[in-house]
Amino acid sequence: MRNAPTILHLDMDAFFASAEQASKPSLRGKAVVVGGLGLRGVVATASYEARVFGVHSAMPMAQARRLAPNAAYLVPRFELYREISDQVMGLLRTLSPLVEPLSLDEAFVDLEAGGTAWDDASARLAGVKLRADIRAVTGLTGSVGLAASKMLAKIASEQAKPDGLVVIEPGTERALLGPMPVRTLPGVGPATGDHLRRGGINTVDEIAEAGEDELVRLLGKAHGHALYAMALARDERPVVAERATKSVSVEDTYDVDIHDRVRVGLEVQRLADRCVQRLRRAGLSGRTIVLKVRRYDFSTLTRSETLRGPTDDPAVVQEAAGRLLEAVDTTGGVRLLGVGVSGLADYTQEDLFAQAQATAQARAAVEETAAQEHSDGQGEEGAEEPAAEQVPAAERRWPAGHDVHHAEYGHGWVQGSGLGRVTVRFETPDSEPGRVRTFRTDDRALEPADPLPLVPRRPEDSTGVSAGAPGRA
């Protein structure tokens, strides 16, 4: 353990919901819930105003609506969140080369490695400046914990929420941890917590008092040893700058089970294409294609196929996912589908011509067979209403919370849509709360738009000088 609190943990406050409130003046100070809005959606983030009603992350969206019926319910805008995350991570990297991102809104920083902090006072100054810079650059707030280990820095940032800073000085760790509940320690979830409680262990002090042998008896060797060390505030894990990505995947949960086999196949192809887009954005390729299917009865099947070499070719990934789907029984309906790629590499095997050619030929054969089967299976009802008319290609979706632009009224965001109408509130991050107007969903004057920056861009932003940092002559 270090003798100075030079490990920093940053956790942005209610990140997705705070970004939405900053973007939408009419929602500031109000309950906001971000997540999947379908029948099977879950809460990704709830604002602090929504948490007062008991809404929290990972809660079923239906339950959140019962608890906070008047909250604003929005679909995530990951493009905006990633942009803000990049700005925040850029600020962290000015403090140290050792930055360990845990998610879009959370990271560890080794201040000592960057020469930014070496004692209590310098660490606290670094934390104060970081919070000020984050607010200036993004308009959002983050909570900072500083300690001599990663475990304690994360505990400190939890204590600092929202919008605060907590420093755990070396030598005070045991006294601080002692009265805390066992769930405070990393890796102690509901099941482990219940197991410890049944053994009469409710606090961190009681873990230390029970002794290592008793913990091994209760929890097993690996978990028992690790938990005992944490109870004694021992954590020697270093901050790791780069975490190797093991896989890239996408998945969708459907509000209503999909029974049509052709529709299932089309969804798999769409997911495969999205997965490849993520691969390419990350500059990666992969050898193993993975298909995930959760059926109507919640049983989950995964199938995989390993290619001869790494690829980021959408045709290759789609074809492999399609072959995997052929081996899965979807009778009864499908509630979730996912496509992933693992065995990642930072290059693509160029000589995949034979594989791509075989893929194209196989896909053409499948399409020809499907077309023939569709033609042969058409009865009088099918002839009366062609499939192309059942799902109009021009139909546009308007997700709640997403950005739009109207030719006359300017920039706004979708409050809701349905029954052929879409309701839009016209406002921007730096405007007053705007007016609401309703349009037909096919109104050509209304178009999807890119998110606006939460803080107006300044000339120095493009030079890499952070807000709040002194300029150089």
Side-chain angles (χ1 to χ4, degrees):
M1 291 269 293
R2 306 181 182 203
N3 56 12
T6 54
I7 292 183
L8 179 149
H9 181 260
L10 170 72
D11 196 351
M12 299 294 289
D13 299 322
F15 182 45
F16 295 174
S18 294
E20 296 298 344
Q21 289 176 316
S23 178
K24 302 170 171 63
S26 59
L27 297 184
R28 292 170 190 170
K30 298 181 180 179
V32 174
V33 181
V34 180
L37 302 191
L39 297 175
R40 294 168 179 163
V42 297
V43 175
T45 309
S47 70
Y48 288 100
E49 295 85 354
R51 296 180 191 188
V52 172
F53 298 99
V55 181
H56 58 77
S57 300
M59 172 182 284
M61 191 61 77
Q63 183 181 356
R65 288 185 183 276
R66 290 193 295 270
L67 293 172
N70 296 320
Y73 289 86
L74 307 177
V75 176
R77 295 186 296 160
F78 288 108
E79 180 183 351
L80 172 65
Y81 309 149
R82 289 191 184 96
E83 181 180 349
I84 299 170
S85 176
D86 288 344
Q87 292 175 317
V88 172
M89 296 302 165
L91 291 173
L92 296 182
R93 291 187 178 97
T94 65
L95 300 176
S96 172
L98 292 184
V99 176
E100 182 177 340
L102 304 180
S103 62
L104 288 175
D105 62 335
E106 186 180 2
F108 287 110
V109 183
D110 187 335
L111 299 177
E112 185 177 310
T116 309
W118 51 91
D119 59 12
D120 292 11
S122 58
R124 187 182 294 273
L125 284 174
V128 169
K129 182 179 184 303
L130 173 64
R131 292 178 56 237
D133 286 350
I134 289 173
R135 186 186 289 274
V137 170
T138 70
L140 304 181
T141 63
S143 295
V144 168
L146 290 155
S149 70
K150 291 169 70 172
M151 178 188 75
L152 291 163
K154 185 170 175 62
I155 290 173
S157 70
E158 284 296 320
Q159 291 183 322
K161 282 188 167 295
D163 190 20
L165 182 148
V166 168
V167 179
I168 299 178
E169 297 180 1
T172 67
E173 298 93 346
R174 289 288 303 278
L176 174 76
L177 284 176
M180 290 184 174
V182 294
R183 291 286 304 276
T184 303
L185 299 179
V188 181
T192 302
D194 288 344
H195 201 54
L196 291 169
R197 181 174 49 79
R198 288 194 296 271
I201 299 173
N202 297 288
T203 67
V204 176
D205 260 345
E206 290 171 345
I207 291 177
E209 291 168 3
E212 194 166 13
D213 292 342
E214 176 65 9
L215 290 173
V216 169
R217 186 186 68 80
L218 286 173
L219 305 175
K221 188 174 182 180
H223 202 179
H225 287 316
L227 194 59
Y228 182 70
M230 287 189 290
L232 299 180
R234 297 173 185 165
D235 180 17
E236 301 294 340
R237 294 173 300 159
V239 175
V240 180
E242 297 294 337
R243 285 172 168 262
T245 302
K246 296 182 179 179
S247 65
V248 173
S249 63
V250 296
E251 62 182 43
D252 277 344
T253 300
Y254 303 99
D255 295 341
V256 178
D257 291 347
I258 302 176
H259 292 84
D260 183 0
R261 181 77 177 185
V262 174
R263 167 84 189 283
V264 173
L266 291 173
E267 289 294 319
V268 167
Q269 298 299 296
R270 183 179 61 83
L271 289 167
D273 186 63
R274 283 173 52 195
C275 185
V276 168
Q277 290 177 19
R278 286 193 179 183
L279 270 180
R280 289 182 167 180
R281 282 198 298 267
L284 297 171
S285 60
R287 297 186 60 192
T288 301
I289 314 303
V290 181
L291 175 70
K292 177 180 177 181
V293 179
R294 180 166 298 149
R295 299 187 291 191
Y296 70 99
D297 59 357
F298 286 88
S299 61
T300 303
L301 304 175
T302 55
R303 300 288 185 268
S304 64
E305 175 181 321
T306 299
L307 307 174
R308 291 177 298 176
T311 184
D312 64 354
D313 186 330
V316 173
V317 176
Q318 287 178 342
E319 177 60 23
R323 285 195 298 271
L324 294 170
L325 179 62
E326 293 173 2
V328 176
D329 179 12
T330 59
T331 305
V334 170
R335 60 184 291 118
L336 177 147
L337 290 168
V339 174
V341 178
S342 59
L344 300 181
D346 58 0
Y347 68 96
T348 300
Q349 182 172 315
E350 298 295 340
D351 189 16
L352 287 174
F353 174 75
Q355 180 171 292
Q357 186 178 46
T359 295
Q361 292 172 346
R363 184 164 56 173
V366 169
E367 290 173 351
E368 182 178 353
T369 302
Q372 184 63 40
E373 289 176 351
H374 180 71
S375 176
D376 293 345
Q378 283 255 3
E380 293 183 1
E381 293 182 3
E384 291 174 1
E385 187 173 0
E389 296 180 9
Q390 295 175 9
V391 183
E395 184 178 355
R396 296 193 295 176
R397 295 178 62 251
W398 301 101
H402 281 225
D403 298 85
V404 295
H405 186 273
H406 191 275
E408 179 179 354
Y409 301 109
H411 192 94
W413 58 277
V414 176
Q415 280 200 327
S417 64
L419 302 177
R421 296 287 187 270
V422 54
T423 301
V424 177
R425 184 181 289 274
F426 290 96
E427 59 186 8
T428 63
D430 56 351
S431 75
E432 296 296 321
R435 296 188 60 181
V436 175
R437 299 182 184 275
T438 300
F439 309 91
R440 291 175 54 89
T441 55
D442 59 357
D443 189 331
R444 293 302 166 185
L446 189 67
E447 295 290 342
D450 293 330
L452 297 177
L454 302 186
V455 175
R457 304 291 191 196
R458 304 189 308 181
E460 61 265 34
D461 291 341
S462 62
T463 68
V465 178
S466 64
R472 297 188 179 186

